[in-house]
Amino acid sequence: MAYHEQYFSHADGSYVPASIAQTTKEIPLSTALLDGVTKVIKLLVLIVPVLLRDFVQLLLPAQKKSIKGQVALVTGGGNGLGRALCLRLAQEGCAVAVADIDLPSAQNTAKEVRNRYGVNAEGFRVDVADHQSVAELRKRIESALGPVDILVNNAGLLAMLSLSEGSVQDVQRIINVNLLSHFWTIREFKDGMVERRRGHIVAISSILGILPNGRSICYNTTKFGVRGLMASLNDELYSDGLAEHIHTTCVYPAGIKTRKDFVDFVKDLKLTIPWHSPEYVAEATVTGMLTNKTDLIASSTIVKFLCYCYPLFPKSFVRLATDVMVGKCPPLTRRSSLK
Ligand SMILES: NC(=O)c1ccc[n+]([C@@H]2O[C@H](COP(=O)([O-])OP(=O)(O)OC[C@H]3O[C@@H](n4cnc5c(N)ncnc54)[C@H](O)[C@@H]3O)[C@@H](O)[C@H]2O)c1
């Protein structure tokens, strides 16, 4: 039985604990030392050209790749950031598959894309949380526009629930739409990219995928999850020798003025968060993608600084800095969110 098949069968009593001898073999000290020193020397030799290349790349202006004529799929493309991304990708000459659970909005975006940029665009209905719906979407896009070269996982629910808010179904839905959906779309579209040795997978996370927030635990968890998924996917592509052909970009926006209800909700909390237009975030995303950036914070320099420094500062400092600069989240009983 393969390892991953055994993994699912613990309940039937087939669990076999590892023996100590299996994990700790006695290695003589001299052998261990020699092995360690050899590895350090090998690393020092190999790291020199890598550091030199990275240093030269830092000095040179980033080269933008062309995506003209490629097919881009944007989930949640009917409204908000997704709509702005569809238009920005069309401006680069892409054909655009606008996929959304809200079909009329997806069709409106597709029409706007065609009218403004004269490229091919179609609206499709999909529930990204449903694997079958995503599988059918691939077939429909391939027959209408051709295979997908650029996958933008943007669809998400801006549900700001603490751990104690919302129903069991709300929690499941947020995780399914914001995180699990990325597995379904990547599994469905990556194989074609591998076959054609060409592709780019983009995910919209959030600065709440870097900075914790106890008042939106479920959302934060999904956005941290997206960040982990994208970093791991990037590593898998590297391990498979595909890093030069298929690229990944994970985007961390701050506030985006998309839905009125969401902006009003945050305003009621009296928090000072940096707001940007969907066009600003779409511009940062596509520019980052064209230069094959793996991670990008789509916000101001101060937000970038806070995100980069967050893991370096002691918790007490970060808490104080957040309270002073962003404001203190009101108690749950005073929030206007779901209960
Ligand atoms: N608005 C912000 O302040 C903000 C900040 C950081 C990150 N983000 C992220 O940016 C992305 C887009 O957010 P937005 O503000 O444009 O949201 P939005 O609500 O304006 O648009 C989301 C779109 O996704 C669609 N959608 C929802 N569930 C879907 C499903 N199951 N299947 C397919 N489509 C579905 C909706 O119909 C809608 O058209 C999200 O992932 C969000 O988490 C937003």
Side-chain angles (χ1 to χ4, degrees):
M1 208 194 294
Y3 165 70
H4 65 269
E5 287 167 35
Q6 280 173 15
Y7 182 81
F8 291 107
S9 58
H10 293 166
D12 65 8
S14 65
Y15 186 100
V16 182
S19 70
I20 298 292
Q22 202 181 339
T23 49
T24 52
K25 255 200 210 142
E26 275 301 317
I27 303 168
L29 186 63
S30 55
T31 315
L33 264 176
L34 186 68
D35 184 49
V37 171
T38 316
K39 281 180 177 161
V40 169
I41 294 172
K42 190 175 171 189
L43 174 67
L44 288 176
V45 171
L46 292 177
I47 201 88
V48 173
V50 174
L51 286 179
L52 267 176
R53 191 199 55 198
D54 287 358
F55 183 66
V56 171
Q57 270 177 3
L58 261 183
L59 298 179
L60 295 174
Q63 290 286 316
K64 283 189 187 168
K65 66 183 177 188
S66 168
I67 51 172
K68 193 170 178 195
Q70 298 194 9
V71 176
L73 158 61
V74 181
T75 68
N79 297 289
L81 175 60
R83 177 185 157 275
L85 283 164
C86 289
L87 290 163
R88 186 60 188 83
L89 287 162
Q91 200 185 345
E92 291 296 317
C94 289
V96 187
V98 188
D100 206 295
I101 202 162
D102 171 2
L103 181 61
S105 294
Q107 287 168 332
N108 281 342
T109 302
K111 192 172 165 197
E112 201 180 346
V113 163
R114 286 192 301 266
N115 290 346
R116 275 171 68 171
Y117 296 104
V119 294
N120 259 350
E122 290 295 332
F124 300 88
R125 192 199 173 274
V126 70
D127 178 357
V128 288
D130 174 4
H131 172 253
Q132 191 54 36
S133 176
V134 173
E136 280 158 20
L137 174 72
R138 181 179 62 74
K139 290 185 198 135
R140 285 186 290 142
I141 296 176
E142 284 180 358
S143 62
L145 299 170
V148 169
D149 302 298
I150 299 164
L151 163 64
V152 185
N153 279 319
N154 161 78
L157 300 176
L158 292 158
M160 300 287 125
L161 305 180
S162 83
L163 196 67
S164 52
E165 290 173 299
S167 65
V168 168
Q169 287 77 13
D170 292 335
V171 174
Q172 282 168 339
R173 185 70 182 155
I174 296 166
I175 293 173
N176 289 346
V177 174
N178 289 13
L179 177 58
L180 204 58
S181 66
H182 291 237
F183 284 83
W184 306 149
T185 53
I186 295 169
R187 283 167 67 124
E188 201 58 43
F189 292 97
K190 189 183 132 231
D191 286 353
M193 296 180 187
V194 173
E195 260 169 45
R196 296 188 306 283
R197 289 283 187 276
R198 178 170 97 168
H200 203 125
I201 300 170
V202 180
I204 307 299
S205 175
S206 162
I207 57 165
L208 295 183
I210 299 174
L211 309 170
N213 183 332
R215 290 291 191 254
S216 53
I217 290 185
C218 196
Y219 182 81
N220 277 57
T221 304
T222 62
K223 294 299 176 179
F224 268 72
V226 167
R227 176 171 152 220
L229 166 62
M230 291 303 282
S232 306
L233 173 66
N234 188 274
D235 193 61
E236 182 174 76
L237 292 167
Y238 167 75
S239 302
D240 290 344
L242 291 163
E244 293 299 316
H245 307 289
I246 302 168
H247 298 273
T248 67
T249 301
C250 191
V251 185
Y252 310 93
I256 319 172
K257 287 194 173 175
T258 52
R259 307 178 68 98
K260 183 182 179 309
D261 49 2
F262 174 66
V263 176
D264 286 348
F265 168 65
V266 178
K267 245 194 210 162
D268 285 349
L269 297 178
K270 305 211 172 357
L271 301 176
T272 323
I273 68 163
W275 288 103
H276 303 284
S277 68
E279 289 72 26
Y280 170 92
V281 179
E283 179 62 39
T285 302
V286 174
T287 308
M289 203 200 113
L290 294 179
T291 51
N292 289 333
K293 279 208 170 126
T294 50
D295 294 271
L296 72 97
I297 295 161
S299 189
S300 61
T301 310
I302 180 88
V303 172
K304 284 181 190 158
F305 178 76
L306 282 177
C307 289
Y308 291 134
C309 292
Y310 168 71
L312 309 173
F313 289 131
K315 183 122 278 182
S316 51
F317 175 81
V318 175
R319 291 233 157 100
L320 188 63
T322 315
D323 286 353
V324 172
M325 292 165 83
V326 180
K328 235 179 156 57
C329 248
L332 282 180
T333 45
R334 299 218 323 259
R335 284 179 15 132
S336 52
S337 130
L338 302 177
K339 185 73 187 166

